Amino acid sequence: MSEQAPPPLTPVDEDWQTALAVVAHPDDMEYGAAAAVARWTGQGKRVVYAMITSGEAGIDGLDPQRCGPLREAEQIASAAVVGVDTVEFLHHKDGVLEYGLPLRRDIARLVRRHRPDVVVTTNYRDTYGGVFPNQADHIAAGRATLDAVRDAGNRWVFNELLGEGLEPWNGVRFLLAGGSPEGRHGVDVTETFALGVASLAEHKAYLAGLDDGAMSDPAEFLEGFGRMTGSRLGVRYGSAFELISLRPPE
Ligand SMILES: [Zn+2]
């Protein structure tokens, strides 16, 4: 039986200026999307990161109270490598993140404050590649982000945000979900691939705590996916995204 080559990817439109990345945990951007962020900041775009949790339940041998601040510091260092100087932490509880109105409201608030053209999140589908089960926080974070982008644009949803001086923001053109099995778009990260690896490597305590060899070696892990995605774009290294358009086709 011959294996069918995965279909080519459509390049992500880069005619925009600001992006807000909203993910569940420190390191979620670094497992695939950070090299694309490095490319975008290199083009002069502004990218802001928001972590819904501080990843405090992510290291088995470390108490969450000590782990949280450590992982926040690692995320700030990691973001700086790819040209991101603003990292916000929403301090929802790691590992037990719930999709729901409080989460949607907190993300809608972020969207109204930062007024991005593009929102980036991680895979919110049930699996990676149709096989490996996705983690519950990622699913909640991605779904809530998608919904909160709409909420941010509706004056009458979470209207307490108006009381905070935050007017509706309808300017988000599309959402990009990294690591999605429905990824049909891609970014050429050949020039910034090494920055993506360096960005993941900043999660030192987290990587040291992993017992899985493949995940804990940043270059090795990103190399395989980067090449595979690159081949679908006709370049050396690529980063794939599911693109959800929030505007009707012109
Ligand atoms: Zn995660």
Side-chain angles (χ1 to χ4, degrees), residues 23-28 31 71 94 122 128 135 137-138 206:
V23 298
H25 312 119
D27 81 46
D28 286 352
Y31 280 105
R71 298 210 65 199
D94 184 20
T122 47
Y128 288 101
Q135 196 262 356
D137 287 0
H138 299 163
Y206 178 71

Side-chain angles (χ1 to χ4, degrees), residues 149-247:
V149 166
R150 285 229 181 79
D151 300 333
N154 186 326
R155 177 173 305 277
W156 309 118
V157 173
F158 304 131
N159 57 4
E160 64 267 41
L161 298 178
L162 294 174
E164 299 173 21
L166 297 169
E167 289 293 319
W169 176 248
N170 272 302
V172 178
R173 287 163 48 195
F174 54 85
L175 184 117
L176 295 171
S180 167
E182 303 295 325
R184 304 273 183 272
H185 286 74
V187 177
D188 175 1
V189 296
T190 306
E191 300 290 319
T192 53
F193 179 78
L195 287 171
V197 172
S199 173
L200 178 55
E202 288 294 336
H203 293 278
K204 296 185 182 89
Y206 178 71
L207 293 167
L210 290 176
D211 47 22
D212 179 329
M215 290 270 293
S216 58
D217 180 337
E220 171 120 358
F221 183 86
L222 294 175
E223 179 100 25
F225 283 101
R227 278 186 187 276
M228 207 159 57
T229 308
S231 72
R232 298 173 65 190
L233 273 171
V235 301
R236 185 153 185 224
Y237 293 115
S239 180
F241 294 93
E242 176 179 354
L243 187 150
I244 300 108
S245 179
L246 292 152
R247 299 225 170 136

